[in-house]
Amino acid sequence: MHTIAGKIDRRALVQRHNVHQSRLDPGSPLSVGNGEFGFTVDVTGLQSLPASYPVGARDDLPPGTLLGTQSQWGWHSVPPPQPYDLADSIVLYDSPRGPVPYVDMVGGIVNDRETDTSTAETWLRANQHRLDVGRVGFQWLENGTARSIIEAEITDTEQTLDLWSGVIISRFTLAGHPVKVTTACHPDRDELGFRVESPALGAGLLIGISFPYGSEAWHDAADWNSPDAHTTSVDGPVMSEEHDGCATWTVHRELDEARYQVVITGHNLTVEQTGQHQLRVAHAMTARPETNQMLDFTVAFLSAGDGDCIPRGNNRPTATTPAVSPDAIGQTGVGLSPALSVTAASEAYWPGFWSSGGAIELDATDDPRAKELERRIVLSQYLTAINCSGSLPPQETGLVCNSWRGRFHLEMHWWHAAHFAHWNRVELLLPSLRWYSTVLEVSRQTANAQGFDGVRWPKQIGPDGRESPSPIGTFLIWQQPHPIHLAELAYRANPSREVLEEFAEIVFESAAFMASFAHPTQRGFELGPPLIPAQESYGSIRARVTNPTFELAYWQWGLRTAAAWRERLGLEPVEAWADVADALVKPRVVNGVYAAIDVEPFTIRTDHPSMLCALGVLPLTDLIDPDIMRATLSDVLADWDWGSTWGWDYPVMAMTAARLEDPEAAVDALLLDAGKNSVLTNGHNRQTDSLPLYLPGNGGLLAAVALMAAGWDNGPDRHAPGFPADWTVRWEGLVRAP
């Protein structure tokens, strides 16, 4: 029997899933961040042990590290030896409308590894790449020489991420000295606060800050082997304008065309440049021994041209700064010390985040699966908030480390961000949705070059929206309706004319391409060739693939949703949109189940079972028969290659099961025992050694459980229809799915 009475104690719900670690777990570092900036730490609360948190090697590249410092503005390009142009990768493909130019690739991608690519293709795929903007870690001073500390020197570790405040407390013993470190990130600016409390500060403990060059490697945002390719210089100290009694030092960074600054602020602090790209931050010892056991400082990262840390308050829940605690007064002479001011801002913001939006509580359910699912839900909210709520669509690994050189994949944007609207936190979706307006022109040029109307959204890109050469990415089409879907979710969360007018061009231009991409035949309107469906197993036959099941349903739903937007705005309908939506061919059925595509081999049982998205991610459309989809779900669950799946496939199955009114199967799918469905101690959805976290899995989970709890239009009229009847499910603040 479901229990729904009473308001959820959100603080208790959140804090029972605080992350506690008593040992170094190489797969589960902890992060602080704000959506625009992220900082990932080891057991010391800093980035002292990067080699202990590896990202697995790929091909002949050395392993990287999970301990990244990344921002939405931090991008870099290595100057090419000569100008490279996408035109050199253009290949003409036959289509029902005649030859169509596609950006292809001479080389290939085998098991996610690039092979036999040309120099131009390699550069175009690797630039722009996301940059690691600096590393902050402990060092030990011996005989006047600073060295990095090593894992074997650290004992008695105890670390907690308090989700309610967004603050990490790390305790350990080093050289016989107890050390306590408080780590926090400001919610509205790219600023970190560090407070180190230890007698070791008087015995040789200090902080090292180092800066790398940008890396073209697939998984690593830092190149530490090219010191002459970039410059680091330091100005200061000058007295801080914000913190009385504090000094600031400004670090100037130049990497080819990329520029940024780093501002270090503290009291009783010394900062000196000890190497080409290395700084030493230490306590300025005083005659008062009791003051020599605390190091309190901030490190703020500023993109080129910013006079101050970038404000982010306009897309965040309002938080009230708490009263100054008595022990904070006097730390810098007046008011809060630098680190405590950042900590206080974090402690003000995160309770507002957790107290707003939606919540789901499963703890009262006896089924042990419920407690694990609740843990995944809470941690996924935190991880997607700090990694996926920024002004750009995120990369699959967020702001932790690079994957695909930090370039983001637009077909994954829905999985990163749709849940923000379902969880009534639409303000965290809007910044990345607004980004599409910045690449309208380049996307329109792609559509026009191929003879289509509207805009064709790219796939694997950086902030400029320039496509990457690929034998797969440029042939995908399922990212095309995503902006329509995300805009519709934003409207459902805030049904206002303001939302309609802001995103109308994105919605209408997306639909214009979709209508012109479909071509008429005697059977009806069809999709492709060429194309590759969401299930990329058909890449080798892209020249003849047609009518993938999911994409057909998405085309119909997307075009009708765009038409609804025109009606809401009082605009005349576009006849072609209705013509295509009403006359799309039905998906292929083979042996009583939906095939993935409309040509042989029909279904390959690897990668995403994407045909399930056609009723699950999407509501029921005219093209889908629920009974056939029920048989399709059973067929997938009975015999699919789970090792080749990805983390968002399990939420897909859960959403399909829920819409088919099979809640037990929905829960089973979310917690299916499969390698890529594992969720680590820190909440990350691990995939492989070289992809040790995968935020589409976290975002997909949140979208699925919101649908399972709040239901969907024209769905069953009962509480939490996607959960088993004997579970106690309490939820509030969620937005019903389409």
Side-chain angles (χ1 to χ4, degrees):
M1 177 72 70
H2 292 294
T3 301
I4 61 174
K7 187 173 177 61
I8 294 172
D9 183 342
R10 297 205 181 192
R11 181 166 187 164
L13 165 64
V14 170
Q15 288 191 311
R16 65 172 165 260
H17 300 293
N18 283 349
V19 183
H20 303 283
Q21 300 194 103
S22 58
R23 63 178 179 84
L24 189 154
D25 183 342
S28 286
L30 303 180
S31 301
V32 293
N34 57 30
E36 292 290 322
F37 178 82
F39 183 74
T40 300
V41 306
D42 57 31
V43 291
T44 70
L46 302 180
Q47 299 167 327
S48 312
L49 306 166
S52 297
Y53 294 80
V55 177
R58 292 175 60 88
D59 301 325
D60 57 349
L61 299 172
T65 181
L66 282 163
L67 306 185
T69 308
Q70 297 197 337
S71 66
Q72 297 289 18
W73 50 259
W75 292 82
H76 171 254
S77 291
V78 174
Q82 64 187 66
Y84 294 129
D85 196 305
L86 283 176
D88 295 333
S89 296
I90 294 292
V91 174
L92 289 178
Y93 277 77
D94 289 335
S95 82
R97 300 180 181 221
V100 176
Y102 277 82
V103 177
D104 204 325
M105 196 165 88
V106 174
I109 301 176
V110 180
N111 295 326
D112 293 332
R113 301 177 190 274
E114 298 161 3
T115 59
D116 300 323
T117 56
S118 69
T119 302
E121 289 169 342
T122 299
W123 188 91
L124 289 165
R125 287 176 62 79
N127 294 276
Q128 300 165 297
H129 44 256
R130 198 182 295 268
L131 178 67
D132 190 317
V133 293
R135 180 174 295 167
V136 183
F138 282 117
Q139 294 181 340
W140 191 258
L141 190 64
E142 290 180 335
N143 301 320
T145 301
R147 64 166 176 82
S148 299
I149 65 174
I150 61 175
E151 182 180 337
E153 295 176 309
I154 300 171
T155 60
D156 306 320
T157 57
E158 180 185 343
Q159 187 175 54
T160 298
L161 166 60
D162 178 40
L163 296 166
W164 190 255
S165 65
V167 175
I168 298 172
I169 303 293
S170 308
R171 291 181 170 87
F172 56 95
T173 299
L174 177 66
H177 299 288
V179 183
K180 177 185 176 183
V181 181
T182 303
T183 309
C185 179
H186 200 288
D188 297 326
R189 49 199 204 191
D190 302 346
E191 184 177 26
L192 300 165
F194 303 106
R195 199 175 214 216
V196 182
E197 301 170 66
S198 176
L201 292 169
L205 184 64
L206 48 83
I207 308 295
I209 303 179
S210 53
F211 302 100
Y213 187 59
S215 173
E216 294 180 298
W218 183 91
H219 62 293
D220 199 349
D223 173 3
W224 300 97
N225 299 312
S226 303
D228 295 332
H230 56 124
T231 64
T232 303
S233 60
V234 183
D235 292 338
V238 298
M239 297 309 295
S240 170
E241 295 182 2
E242 182 176 353
H243 297 285
D244 188 33
C246 286
T248 69
W249 290 258
T250 300
V251 183
H252 303 275
R253 296 277 296 132
E254 296 188 8
L255 305 88
D256 306 308
E257 297 300 317
R259 305 281 190 277
Y260 66 97
Q261 295 179 338
V262 182
V263 178
I264 303 166
T265 303
H267 182 63
N268 288 337
L269 204 66
T270 66
V271 177
E272 61 177 315
Q273 186 165 0
T274 57
Q276 199 168 353
H277 304 291
Q278 292 81 37
L279 307 181
R280 180 184 300 171
V281 179
H283 197 291
M285 294 300 167
T286 70
R288 298 169 56 197
E290 69 276 8
T291 69
N292 297 335
Q293 297 190 14
M294 182 181 298
L295 189 60
D296 183 298
F297 67 103
T298 59
V299 182
F301 295 81
L302 289 72
S303 64
D306 289 327
D308 197 356
C309 300
I310 303 169
R312 232 78 71 190
N314 61 340
N315 68 340
R316 298 291 184 230
T318 301
T320 302
T321 301
V324 178
S325 60
D327 63 349
I329 298 294
Q331 294 295 333
T332 64
V334 177
L336 290 170
S337 69
L340 284 180
S341 67
V342 172
T343 301
S346 182
E347 290 172 340
Y349 168 74
W350 282 101
F353 169 85
W354 292 113
S355 299
S356 64
I360 297 176
E361 186 171 52
L362 306 173
D363 191 60
T365 301
D366 292 333
D367 189 329
R369 296 177 300 171
K371 292 176 173 54
E372 170 59 14
L373 185 53
E374 187 185 272
R375 181 186 78 90
R376 296 185 181 195
I377 292 169
V378 170
L379 291 175
S380 291
Q381 290 176 78
Y382 178 78
L383 293 173
T384 54
I386 66 174
N387 286 290
C388 304
S389 65
S391 52
L392 295 176
Q395 63 171 319
E396 293 174 340
T397 46
L399 297 169
V400 176
C401 64
N402 271 6
S403 56
W404 298 106
R405 290 117 174 162
R407 297 172 72 78
F408 42 93
H409 297 183
L410 288 191
E411 86 280 16
M412 288 291 98
H413 190 199
W414 191 95
W415 299 97
H416 287 285
H419 65 90
F420 289 131
H422 288 301
W423 283 75
N424 213 1
R425 295 186 179 117
V426 70
E427 71 279 356
L428 303 186
L429 162 63
L430 295 179
S432 60
L433 183 56
R434 289 176 176 134
W435 170 84
Y436 285 88
S437 65
T438 71
V439 294
L440 275 167
E441 186 54 38
V442 66
S443 303
R444 184 176 289 112
Q445 291 172 6
T446 299
N448 290 344
Q450 295 181 336
F452 301 120
D453 298 332
V455 299
R456 182 167 192 168
W457 303 115
K459 194 276 191 190
Q460 183 180 323
I461 53 175
D464 59 1
R466 191 262 297 155
E467 187 62 271
S468 301
S470 175
I472 296 174
T474 59
F475 298 89
L476 297 179
I477 61 171
W478 68 294
Q479 71 270 31
Q480 187 66 28
H482 278 351
I484 299 175
H485 200 161
L486 293 172
E488 176 68 6
L489 295 178
Y491 175 77
R492 292 171 68 88
N494 178 21
S496 67
R497 187 173 184 88
E498 180 182 13
V499 172
L500 293 171
E501 290 177 345
E502 179 174 7
F503 297 110
E505 184 177 17
I506 291 172
V507 169
F508 297 158
E509 292 292 278
S510 299
F513 171 83
M514 293 166 63
S516 65
F517 183 81
H519 61 275
T521 70
Q522 292 184 343
R523 299 172 59 202
F525 282 95
E526 301 192 45
L527 305 179
L531 64 79
I532 296 176
Q535 183 190 5
E536 297 176 7
S537 303
Y538 310 93
S540 63
I541 60 170
R542 56 190 177 275
R544 62 182 183 88
V545 171
T546 61
N547 303 325
T549 294
F550 171 37
E551 283 80 348
L552 284 171
Y554 212 178
W555 242 241
Q556 184 177 79
W557 185 84
L559 286 170
R560 288 179 174 172
T561 300
W565 273 54
R566 293 191 66 86
E567 183 177 355
R568 291 166 186 163
L569 285 167
L571 301 175
E572 291 294 319
V574 177
E575 185 176 346
W577 298 1
D579 290 344
V580 172
D582 292 345
L584 282 162
V585 298
K586 286 188 176 290
R588 171 78 66 168
V589 177
V590 177
N591 297 325
V593 301
Y594 283 117
I597 59 176
D598 199 18
V599 297
E600 291 184 344
F602 301 120
T603 301
I604 298 173
R605 305 184 75 82
T606 60
D607 199 28
H608 313 296
S610 62
M611 68 288 287
L612 299 180
C613 295
L615 181 57
V617 173
L618 302 180
L620 184 64
T621 61
D622 298 346
L623 297 177
I624 299 300
D625 182 314
D627 290 333
I628 298 175
M629 187 59 77
R630 186 172 290 106
T632 306
L633 175 62
S634 296
D635 181 65
V636 168
L637 291 171
D639 179 27
W640 200 263
D641 178 22
W642 302 119
S644 66
T645 57
W646 296 91
W648 57 269
D649 293 325
Y650 304 92
V652 164
M653 294 185 289
M655 287 186 276
T656 301
R659 290 197 191 259
L660 293 171
E661 301 189 43
D662 190 347
E664 189 67 36
V667 170
D668 281 344
L670 284 179
L671 295 171
L672 195 147
D673 184 13
K676 291 183 180 176
N677 197 35
S678 61
V679 174
L680 305 177
T681 303
N682 62 359
H684 279 301
N685 177 206
R686 186 185 185 280
Q687 304 295 287
T688 64
D689 288 346
S690 60
L691 192 58
L693 66 144
Y694 189 63
L695 288 157
N698 299 95
L701 171 82
L702 293 175
V705 294
L707 178 142
M708 291 162 63
W712 54 93
D713 295 345
N714 304 315
D717 186 18
R718 62 175 183 267
H719 179 73
F723 286 95
D726 60 347
W727 280 37
T728 299
V729 180
R730 299 175 66 191
W731 67 268
E732 59 193 27
L734 301 172
V735 178
R736 183 183 290 267

